[in-house]
Amino acid sequence: GSIDCLQAWKRIFKKTKALIEKKNPKKKWDFIESGIFAQVDAFIQRCHDLLEICDGQLQFARSGSNLMIPKFGGSRGPEIVGLLEEIRNSFRKSLENIRNMDREKILDVRSTKWHESNNVFKNKMKDLDLMYTNAIKFAFEFVTTCLLYTSPSPRDRQKSRMPSSA
């Protein structure tokens, strides 16, 4: 998308510059590339930041999918589910702060408001990541065996695996 397009434009610029200078060494393009590409690079970074937020929605809020918070059995089950719900709700609150920004400022690379809001968001994501790690450790702290159920394969549904003498 946008990232690939802007990176391609930069490559084309550099290739064109090199070809012009190769063809006529006396004609140099005396453009300061950092000045030309500063806002382009900032916009590319902004796009990466927004993609990270989208990834966070999948990881922390389970948005964009039909996935629900897993159910845990045992005496710790409700507590584990509560921790995961707390993580999801905390993420949604942080995301709401980003959504409440002036939409024009989100893509304006000259706006400092984005940097402030995004830094707060990223720090919260680090906290949520640690909370997730702790919730997983807590969930499996006393587990000695784990049974994983998988659906039978089509081959298993067609044939009986039992010996004929059974």
Side-chain angles (χ1 to χ4, degrees):
S2 297
I3 295 170
D4 294 335
C5 179
L6 291 169
Q7 289 173 334
W9 182 72
K10 286 176 63 174
R11 285 191 303 275
I12 291 167
F13 173 88
K14 290 176 181 184
K15 185 177 180 181
T16 302
K17 178 182 176 186
L19 288 171
I20 288 172
E21 290 177 355
K22 182 178 180 183
K23 187 173 182 179
N24 189 350
K26 293 179 184 178
K27 270 195 171 179
K28 295 272 184 197
W29 271 18
D30 290 330
F31 297 113
I32 300 171
E33 287 185 31
S34 62
I36 294 172
F37 295 122
Q39 289 189 355
V40 170
D41 292 336
F43 189 78
I44 289 171
Q45 182 58 50
R46 182 71 45 89
C47 290
H48 283 295
D49 292 342
L50 292 169
L51 287 173
E52 283 182 26
I53 291 171
C54 293
D55 288 342
Q57 286 183 303
L58 291 174
Q59 180 179 355
F60 296 115
R62 306 187 74 77
S63 298
S65 69
N66 293 330
L67 297 175
M68 301 299 291
I69 289 180
K71 301 297 180 204
F72 290 86
S75 60
R76 291 179 149 193
E79 190 174 356
I80 296 164
V81 170
L83 290 170
L84 296 177
E85 287 174 350
E86 180 184 342
I87 290 167
R88 179 180 59 193
N89 293 336
S90 185
F91 175 83
R92 287 180 175 166
K93 184 178 176 187
S94 295
L95 183 61
E96 197 59 34
N97 292 335
I98 296 286
R99 284 186 175 148
N100 287 336
M101 282 185 62
D102 180 0
R103 296 201 190 275
E104 292 176 12
K105 299 292 184 196
I106 290 176
L107 296 178
D108 182 356
V109 296
R110 294 167 286 165
S111 170
T112 58
K113 180 69 177 155
W114 167 259
H115 294 292
E116 296 164 12
S117 297
N118 192 45
N119 284 336
V120 168
F121 183 83
K122 283 184 174 185
N123 287 332
K124 186 63 178 176
M125 293 309 97
K126 289 177 186 176
D127 293 343
L128 293 178
D129 204 33
L130 182 60
M131 287 173 69
Y132 238 132
T133 300
N134 290 335
I136 291 168
K137 286 179 183 177
F138 179 75
F140 292 99
E141 187 174 10
F142 296 109
V143 173
T144 56
T145 58
C146 181
L147 298 176
L148 178 65
Y149 173 77
T150 58
S151 299
S153 71
R155 182 179 62 118
D156 289 339
R157 279 187 236 129
Q158 292 173 357
K159 297 180 184 176
S160 171
R161 296 286 202 121
M162 299 295 289
S164 58
S165 62

